[in-house]
């Protein structure tokens, strides 16, 4: 075997390591051109862009409600930890998930005109999570939009080690879904480019959340904190049906469509996060107006495939061997690797 053959073989190995099972595509993100087409066909869609300050009122009500439930469970005492866990699965997870959507809208500055007020709204929504997430999310989420499906910049794609370790069996995929909050955090170190993860707002966010935690613990006892932490955990993972939202958004076996919607009833408590194509097309439209966008431009969304059930999607992901952590589009693998000579 000559040097050229060896070199070509190594090149193929490098390409295989880079692709590692993701679906490579040379196509650009579908959302910017669809946005332009919608605005050309329906200029009135531009009127939906803006802010919805009612989200701040919803946030205040939910945080107060979560704190009140935590206080009630705290007074029951540590022996009733199982009640706190059940309440978190049935009630708290939905409340905290809604607060994640608020953090999401605040990241896109869709609540107030002021960046500072949007940051404070996100921090308020972050309090019941017991772990500071809002400012970290604000740092890297915009890359998800500008570099959708690019492994080097989009933290929404699973890391290769996640897919290899957990993506090949039903047990592994179930474990991955249960531990999803941890995996999201581990992806940040792989991102390229200028993604600043630390600023004074990061420390403000952390200080506010930890002070809230201490106040809850001091005033209501450990069972209250158990409820809030479990609400956080099940709102994004823990094998809760809400965790299937992460599967719904961009998992696909067909690169012709890489973003999917869910129009089911859980949008009522999940603040329309299921309208994900609409959101990527118009990230500057508040959550409350996304259904109006679909109504204004039905011809752009009627032909797209959707998911009917988060629970059904979760079960399919776990038990369908064709559904793995690599069932995603990755633009960073589309270009071949050229080895230097």
């Amino acid at each position: 075997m000559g040097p050229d053959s060896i070199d070509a073989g190594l090149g193929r190995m490098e390409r295989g390591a880079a692709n590692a099972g993701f679906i490579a595509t040379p196509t650009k993100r579908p959302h910017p051109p669809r946005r332009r087409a919608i605005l050309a066909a329906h200029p009135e869609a531009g009127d939906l862009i803006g802010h919805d300050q009612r989200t701040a009122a919803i946030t205040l009500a939910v945080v107060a409600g979560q704190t009140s439930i935590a206080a009630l469970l705290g007074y029951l005492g540590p022996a009733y930890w199982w009640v706190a866990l059940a309440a978190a699965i049935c009630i708290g997870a939905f409340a905290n998930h809604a607060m994640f959507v608020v953090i999401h809208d605040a990241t896109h500055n869709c609540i107030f005109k002021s960046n500072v007020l949007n940051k404070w709204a996100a921090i308020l929504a972050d309090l019941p999570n017991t772990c500071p997430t809002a400012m970290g999310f604000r740092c890297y989420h915009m890359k998800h939009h500008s570099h959708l499906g690019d492994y080097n910049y989009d933290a929404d794609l699973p890391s290769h080690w996640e897919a290899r370790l957990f993506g090949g069996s039903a047990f592994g995929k179930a474990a991955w879904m249960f531990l999803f909050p941890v995996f999201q955090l581990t992806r940040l170190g792989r991102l390229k480019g200028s993604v600043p993860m630390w600023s004074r707002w990061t420390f403000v966010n952390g200080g506010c959340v930890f002070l809230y935690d201490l106040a809850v613990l001091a005033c209501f006892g450990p069972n209250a904190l158990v409820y809030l932490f479990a609400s956080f955990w099940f709102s994004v993972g823990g094998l809760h049906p809400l965790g299937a939202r992460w599967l719904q958004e961009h998992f696909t076996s067909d690169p012709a469509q890489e973003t999917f919607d869910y129009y089911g009833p859980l949008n009522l408590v999940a603040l329309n996060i299921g309208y994900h194509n609409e959101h990527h097309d118009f990230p500057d439209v508040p959550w409350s107006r996304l259904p109006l966008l679909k109504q204004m431009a039905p011809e752009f969304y009627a032909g797209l495939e959707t998911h009917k059930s988060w629970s059904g999607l979760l079960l399919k992901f776990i038990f369908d061997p064709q559904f793995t952590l690599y069932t995603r589009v990755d633009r960073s693998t589309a270009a071949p690797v050229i080895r230097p000579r």
Side-chain angles (χ1 to χ4, degrees), residues 93-296:
F94 295 95
N96 277 44
H97 188 269
M99 293 300 92
F100 272 115
V101 182
V102 170
I103 292 170
H104 178 254
D105 256 41
T107 296
H108 288 284
N109 294 326
C110 287
I111 302 176
F112 299 105
K113 292 182 180 180
S114 164
N115 283 351
V116 171
L117 288 179
N118 279 294
K119 290 176 180 178
W120 279 117
I123 290 172
L124 174 63
D126 208 22
L127 294 181
N129 286 328
T130 69
C131 303
T133 67
M135 292 301 106
F137 181 81
R138 189 178 181 94
C139 288
Y140 68 79
H141 180 67
M142 288 307 183
K143 290 289 184 181
H144 169 61
H145 281 264
S146 63
H147 295 74
L148 176 64
D150 188 328
Y151 182 83
N152 296 319
Y153 297 93
D154 185 359
D156 193 63
L157 267 76
S159 293
H160 288 309
W161 70 268
E162 292 175 50
R164 291 166 182 160
L165 188 60
F166 293 94
S169 68
F171 178 80
K173 288 184 286 185
W176 182 79
M177 286 301 304
F178 185 82
L179 298 171
F180 187 80
V182 175
F183 293 127
Q184 268 202 319
L185 186 64
T186 64
R187 298 172 189 169
L188 305 183
R190 78 161 197 249
L191 302 183
K192 295 182 179 179
S194 55
V195 184
M197 295 308 301
W198 298 96
S199 70
R200 65 186 182 92
W201 281 101
T202 310
F203 295 100
V204 171
N205 185 187
C208 289
V209 171
F210 289 133
L211 285 173
Y212 174 84
D213 292 347
L214 289 173
V216 168
L217 184 62
C219 295
F220 310 129
N223 209 38
L225 214 55
V226 167
Y227 166 74
L228 291 173
F229 179 76
S231 296
F232 155 72
W233 193 265
F234 289 110
S235 69
V236 291
L239 287 177
H240 197 285
L242 288 171
R245 164 216 166 166
W246 309 108
L247 305 172
Q248 165 239 308
E249 292 177 346
H250 299 294
F251 273 78
T252 180
S253 57
D254 183 2
Q257 183 178 339
E258 62 183 290
T259 305
F260 290 79
D261 289 314
Y262 161 75
Y263 296 130
L266 287 179
N267 278 300
L268 293 173
V269 291
L271 303 186
N272 294 331
I273 197 63
Y275 288 75
H276 210 61
N277 270 297
E278 292 82 351
H279 167 65
H280 269 269
D281 293 345
F282 287 83
D284 43 5
V285 169
W287 66 271
S288 55
R289 301 174 196 161
L290 291 176
L292 294 176
L293 174 61
K294 181 178 181 290
Q295 293 172 19
M296 283 184 178

